[in-house]
Amino acid sequence: MPDATVDRTTDGSGAVSNLTLVQLQALDAGSTFSPAFAGERIPTFAEALRALPPGLPPLVDCKAAAPQAVVDVLRAERALDNAIVAYGSWDYLFEVGRLEPRLALCAAGSGELATNTLAMLQSYGVHAVAWDKAFVTPETMARVHSRGMRLFVAVETAEIPVFLDMGVD
């Protein structure tokens, strides 16, 4: 789930954490996007991984699952070698990396992305950063790429060419 509640993405309401899996899977998760998707249900993490086209690496943006649970599902689904696990809580991310060193880790954040921050992240096995676009400059890109890391941003469609020209991965 992308949000803490089901309100925006389903026909239900309430906190995800207050609903059972059976209750969550009874919700319509498609109609809010288009009538063509009416009746679509919320997949489990494992089901979502299985639905990806072969070779497409999943970018797992952890919200509330225990680090061990995330690692266990990725292991069971044989997705360790191509998944990227991203999270804004770096302690959480570092724990995922400690539990499974083969996973690619992506630290999310904002603000100035200094060389010492990148060095610290790399010391914990972080391979990429997902950074607030307001703080991504050509200099930031050069700093990230000089360390052999990737940089991701979330942008609006019209902004894509600007960030591709800048070298965002």
Side-chain angles (χ1 to χ4, degrees):
M1 293 296 297
D3 302 338
T5 71
V6 297
D7 300 42
R8 183 179 65 86
T9 57
T10 73
D11 64 348
S13 65
V16 173
S17 61
N18 291 337
L19 300 170
T20 67
L21 179 60
V22 170
Q23 291 170 319
L24 287 167
Q25 290 186 320
L27 299 174
D28 181 336
S31 295
T32 57
F33 297 97
S34 167
F37 299 115
E40 285 291 325
R41 302 295 170 213
I42 300 168
T44 64
F45 180 34
E47 291 168 340
L49 289 170
R50 284 184 224 127
L52 292 173
L56 182 67
L59 176 59
V60 181
D61 182 8
C62 302
K63 299 293 184 187
Q68 187 66 61
V70 171
V71 169
D72 288 347
V73 171
L74 290 169
R75 281 182 181 143
E77 296 301 317
R78 295 180 173 92
L80 293 175
D81 294 326
N82 70 338
I84 302 168
V85 178
Y87 199 66
S89 166
W90 295 353
D91 289 338
Y92 179 102
L93 193 65
F94 301 157
E95 177 63 10
V96 169
R98 187 192 67 72
L99 292 167
E100 184 48 75
R102 289 190 298 168
L103 281 169
L105 304 177
C106 178
S110 66
E112 182 187 348
L113 193 48
T115 301
N116 61 341
T117 301
L118 290 168
M120 182 271 299
L121 291 171
Q122 279 190 307
S123 75
Y124 282 99
V126 173
H127 301 85
V129 291
W131 221 248
D132 181 332
K133 66 183 179 183
F135 298 95
V136 175
T137 65
E139 293 77 24
T140 306
M141 287 303 315
R143 226 177 352 266
V144 171
H145 284 163
S146 73
R147 300 196 69 88
M149 299 172 77
R150 294 186 289 171
L151 192 145
F152 306 127
V153 293
V155 298
E156 300 296 326
T157 303
E159 298 170 302
I160 291 173
V162 172
F163 285 92
L164 285 178
D165 287 346
M166 201 182 300
V168 167
D169 299 289

